[in-house]
Amino acid sequence: MQRANYTMSKIIIIGNQKGGVGKSTIATLCANALSQDPFNLKVCIIDTDRQKSIVEARDFDVEDYKGEPPYKILGMDLPSLQKEIYALDKEYDLIFIDTAGRLDINLDIQQQEITKALMYADFLFIPFRAGNFNLDATLEYLKMVIKLSKLRGESERQLRFMGFVNMFRDRSKTNTDLILEIENLKSAGIKFMSTRLRNYTLFEDINTIDSLYDVNSTDKAKLNFTVWLNEFIKTLKDE
């Protein structure tokens, strides 16, 4: 299969300081799809979370898998990431970095563990999930990201960040409140993807191998992800 031609790799983080908003799930969904037809990009996920949930999921998935998985998952701590990232940057089209994402309110932005990973990212996609605890934590994370993007403003590879709605449900007051808050953020200049990922069980049940991207699917979950991923790809190309 012919690989797509990218002029340089793109390093991507699906980031938030709140657990349970879908960081690891979305990174895996993207890597599964973009490493296979019709994209065939050379992709890897670097799992820097101490729990190594994506690494463990891959170990489980390959037990019954025949052949070579469509992309690599590398477990690294931050010192290893800092040592290896430049070589990996030359090897892959897309690199997804999965981070633990916890902010320490007592530390300056330059000392934050998240900052050390974000310093290498070209793109940060922030999942917004309904619920007061989710939103409050995400807004704190967003404040840190804005500060960090300003620090990187003069660098050759700037940090571009964008929010998106994850686990969306219709006719839900918390989701209505979330959309109102997002409209306020958009009016303040924060970019958001227009496609919302909905709360489908299929997304939670994903493994680290199978792609859900299917432009001809009649399955609502696959169609939702396909439309979202098309916008995601367009964002990477346009920015």
Side-chain angles (χ1 to χ4, degrees):
M1 290 182 291
Q2 186 68 31
R3 228 176 59 180
N5 182 23
Y6 271 53
T7 56
M8 62 184 295
S9 73
K10 298 183 189 295
I11 301 175
I12 303 162
I13 292 179
I14 313 293
N16 198 312
Q17 69 161 327
K18 182 71 174 65
V21 296
K23 301 187 300 291
S24 300
T25 299
I26 302 304
T28 302
L29 283 167
C30 290
N32 287 5
L34 293 169
S35 61
Q36 301 178 66
D37 288 337
F39 307 104
N40 300 315
L41 296 173
K42 190 171 185 184
V43 177
C44 79
I45 293 180
I46 302 175
D47 188 351
T48 67
D49 192 334
R50 292 182 181 88
Q51 296 180 0
K52 296 291 184 290
S53 58
I54 299 182
V55 170
E56 290 184 1
R58 168 57 62 82
D59 289 342
F60 177 79
D61 293 337
V62 296
E63 288 181 3
D64 299 317
Y65 185 74
K66 296 180 181 179
E68 193 72 23
Y71 64 95
K72 287 186 178 180
I73 296 174
L74 308 173
M76 293 185 182
D77 57 17
L78 281 172
S80 299
L81 172 66
Q82 292 169 321
K83 180 180 179 181
E84 300 291 337
I85 191 63
Y86 295 107
L88 294 170
D89 190 24
K90 297 176 182 178
E91 182 177 354
Y92 291 95
D93 297 318
L94 297 177
I95 298 171
F96 290 88
I97 302 177
D98 190 56
T99 64
R102 185 177 64 85
L103 293 177
D104 189 333
I105 60 174
N106 298 314
L107 291 179
D108 215 35
I109 185 171
Q110 290 93 339
Q111 298 173 296
Q112 294 283 350
E113 184 172 327
I114 295 174
T115 302
K116 296 175 183 176
L118 282 172
M119 288 301 294
Y120 300 105
D122 299 303
F123 291 89
L124 169 65
F125 291 85
I126 307 172
F128 280 68
R129 183 183 179 185
N132 289 338
F133 294 120
N134 294 324
L135 184 56
D136 289 346
T138 303
L139 291 175
E140 285 300 314
Y141 185 82
L142 179 60
K143 290 177 184 177
M144 182 275 296
V145 169
I146 292 171
K147 291 179 182 177
L148 179 60
S149 66
K150 291 179 180 177
L151 289 175
R152 285 185 53 183
E154 301 300 323
S155 66
E156 182 179 349
R157 294 178 73 162
Q158 298 181 16
L159 175 63
R160 298 165 176 84
F161 62 92
M162 177 176 289
F164 68 93
V165 177
N166 194 28
M167 302 182 189
F168 183 76
R169 292 182 178 180
D170 291 314
R171 296 183 295 277
S172 163
K173 183 181 184 306
T174 55
N175 278 277
T176 300
D177 293 342
L178 172 64
I179 298 306
L180 287 173
E181 181 61 41
I182 286 175
E183 289 303 317
N184 290 332
L185 292 171
K186 287 166 69 175
S187 66
I190 306 300
K191 294 182 179 180
F192 278 84
M193 294 178 65
S194 60
T195 307
R196 302 166 185 168
L197 282 173
R198 295 179 174 270
N199 193 31
Y200 290 116
T201 302
L202 184 61
F203 296 158
E204 294 297 321
D205 291 341
I206 190 66
N207 57 34
T208 65
I209 294 171
D210 295 322
S211 172
L212 297 186
Y213 186 90
D214 185 354
V215 295
N216 298 313
S217 179
T218 58
D219 181 276
K220 290 183 178 179
K222 289 185 178 181
L223 182 58
N224 180 213
F225 174 71
T226 297
V227 173
W228 183 90
L229 190 70
N230 284 338
E231 184 179 353
F232 179 87
I233 295 164
K234 187 176 185 300
T235 300
L236 298 183
K237 291 180 177 179
D238 289 349
E239 291 289 334

